[in-house]
Amino acid sequence: MQGLFFETDDTVHMVIRVIVMLLCFWTAWMTGKGASQSWKNYPAVVIYTALVTVAVRFIHHALFNGPMFYGNAPLFYVMDFVVLLVFSTAGYRYTRTNQMVNAYYWLYEKASPFSWKDKA
Protein backbone atom coordinates (compact mmCIF):
# COMPACT_ATOMS: atom_id res chain seq x y z
CA MET A 1 0.00 0.00 0.00
CA GLN A 2 3.01 2.24 -0.42
CA GLY A 3 2.19 5.39 -2.34
CA LEU A 4 -1.27 5.94 -0.88
CA PHE A 5 -0.38 9.44 0.34
CA PHE A 6 3.34 9.72 -0.45
CA GLU A 7 5.55 7.96 -2.96
CA THR A 8 8.37 7.04 -0.60
CA ASP A 9 9.08 6.93 3.10
CA ASP A 10 11.57 9.77 2.66
CA THR A 11 8.72 12.17 1.96
CA VAL A 12 6.92 11.06 5.09
CA HIS A 13 10.04 11.63 7.16
CA MET A 14 10.53 15.07 5.65
CA VAL A 15 6.95 16.05 6.46
CA ILE A 16 7.39 14.86 10.05
CA ARG A 17 10.67 16.78 10.31
CA VAL A 18 9.02 19.98 9.07
CA ILE A 19 6.19 19.57 11.58
CA VAL A 20 8.68 18.98 14.40
CA MET A 21 10.69 22.05 13.34
CA LEU A 22 7.57 24.22 13.33
CA LEU A 23 6.61 22.95 16.79
CA CYS A 24 10.12 23.67 18.06
CA PHE A 25 10.06 27.19 16.62
CA TRP A 26 6.65 27.81 18.21
CA THR A 27 7.96 26.49 21.54
CA ALA A 28 10.94 28.85 21.37
CA TRP A 29 8.65 31.80 20.57
CA MET A 30 6.42 30.92 23.52
CA THR A 31 9.49 30.58 25.76
CA GLY A 32 10.48 34.17 24.99
CA LYS A 33 6.90 35.34 25.36
CA GLY A 34 6.55 33.62 28.73
CA ALA A 35 9.76 35.15 30.04
CA SER A 36 8.59 38.57 28.93
CA GLN A 37 5.13 38.19 30.45
CA SER A 38 6.68 37.40 33.82
CA TRP A 39 8.94 40.48 33.46
CA LYS A 40 12.15 38.44 33.46
CA ASN A 41 15.39 39.88 32.08
CA TYR A 42 16.93 38.70 28.82
CA PRO A 43 19.49 36.32 30.43
CA ALA A 44 16.55 34.21 31.61
CA VAL A 45 15.50 33.83 27.96
CA VAL A 46 18.96 32.50 27.10
CA ILE A 47 18.83 29.96 29.94
CA TYR A 48 15.31 28.83 29.05
CA THR A 49 16.30 28.51 25.40
CA ALA A 50 19.24 26.32 26.39
CA LEU A 51 16.82 24.01 28.20
CA VAL A 52 14.48 23.95 25.20
CA THR A 53 17.49 23.08 23.02
CA VAL A 54 18.18 19.98 25.12
CA ALA A 55 14.55 18.93 24.70
CA VAL A 56 14.71 19.52 20.94
CA ARG A 57 17.89 17.46 20.64
CA PHE A 58 16.16 14.64 22.54
CA ILE A 59 13.20 14.78 20.15
CA HIS A 60 15.56 14.56 17.19
CA HIS A 61 17.33 11.65 18.85
CA ALA A 62 14.13 9.80 19.71
CA LEU A 63 12.27 10.32 16.42
CA PHE A 64 15.04 10.47 13.84
CA ASN A 65 17.92 8.61 15.53
CA GLY A 66 20.02 11.77 15.60
CA PRO A 67 23.10 12.05 17.80
CA MET A 68 22.45 12.93 21.43
CA PHE A 69 25.88 12.64 23.05
CA TYR A 70 28.17 11.30 20.33
CA GLY A 71 29.61 12.30 16.99
CA ASN A 72 28.68 15.81 15.89
CA ALA A 73 26.25 16.34 18.78
CA PRO A 74 27.95 19.52 20.14
CA LEU A 75 27.73 21.12 16.71
CA PHE A 76 24.04 20.28 16.47
CA TYR A 77 23.41 21.65 19.97
CA VAL A 78 25.01 24.96 18.98
CA MET A 79 23.14 25.16 15.69
CA ASP A 80 19.81 24.38 17.34
CA PHE A 81 20.51 26.83 20.16
CA VAL A 82 21.28 29.69 17.78
CA VAL A 83 18.15 29.10 15.68
CA LEU A 84 15.91 28.69 18.72
CA LEU A 85 17.44 31.76 20.36
CA VAL A 86 16.44 33.84 17.33
CA PHE A 87 12.81 32.74 17.75
CA SER A 88 12.76 33.12 21.53
CA THR A 89 14.37 36.57 21.28
CA ALA A 90 11.76 37.63 18.73
CA GLY A 91 8.95 36.42 21.00
CA TYR A 92 10.54 38.17 23.96
CA ARG A 93 11.02 41.51 22.19
CA TYR A 94 7.59 41.47 20.56
CA THR A 95 5.85 40.81 23.87
CA ARG A 96 8.03 43.25 25.82
CA THR A 97 7.30 45.99 23.28
CA ASN A 98 3.56 45.48 23.71
CA GLN A 99 3.95 45.43 27.49
CA MET A 100 5.91 48.66 27.61
CA VAL A 101 3.60 50.48 25.21
CA ASN A 102 0.45 49.34 27.03
CA ALA A 103 1.69 49.66 30.63
CA TYR A 104 3.44 52.99 30.13
CA TYR A 105 1.34 54.52 27.36
CA TRP A 106 2.13 58.06 28.51
CA LEU A 107 5.89 57.45 28.16
CA TYR A 108 6.40 55.14 25.18
CA GLU A 109 5.10 54.43 21.71
CA LYS A 110 5.92 51.65 19.27
CA ALA A 111 8.85 52.26 16.96
CA SER A 112 8.54 48.80 15.36
CA PRO A 113 7.00 45.47 16.36
CA PHE A 114 10.20 44.75 18.32
CA SER A 115 11.08 48.11 19.87
CA TRP A 116 9.62 51.23 21.49
CA LYS A 117 10.67 54.85 21.78
CA ASP A 118 9.94 57.83 24.02
CA LYS A 119 6.91 59.87 23.14
CA ALA A 120 7.78 63.25 21.74
Side-chain angles (χ1 to χ4, degrees), residues 2-101:
Q2 185 176 356
L4 183 60
F5 295 110
F6 303 102
E7 295 175 5
T8 64
D9 288 336
D10 293 333
T11 306
V12 173
H13 286 137
M14 288 307 294
V15 169
I16 292 172
R17 286 177 191 252
V18 168
I19 291 170
V20 168
M21 283 185 350
L22 292 175
L23 288 173
C24 293
F25 296 159
W26 177 80
T27 302
W29 177 277
M30 294 305 290
T31 299
K33 181 179 178 181
S36 180
Q37 286 177 338
S38 61
W39 292 94
K40 301 244 189 246
N41 290 331
Y42 185 72
V45 174
V46 175
I47 293 169
Y48 296 157
T49 304
L51 295 173
V52 170
T53 303
V54 172
V56 167
R57 289 306 318 150
F58 175 75
I59 289 171
H60 284 289
H61 172 70
L63 292 179
F64 309 116
N65 201 19
M68 186 76 177
F69 300 115
Y70 58 89
N72 292 332
L75 175 66
F76 292 132
Y77 275 105
V78 170
M79 288 174 28
D80 286 348
F81 177 74
V82 169
V83 172
L84 293 175
L85 188 62
V86 168
F87 281 91
S88 61
T89 300
Y92 178 80
R93 292 295 298 175
Y94 182 79
T95 306
R96 182 55 53 96
T97 298
N98 289 332
Q99 283 178 315
M100 294 299 285
V101 170

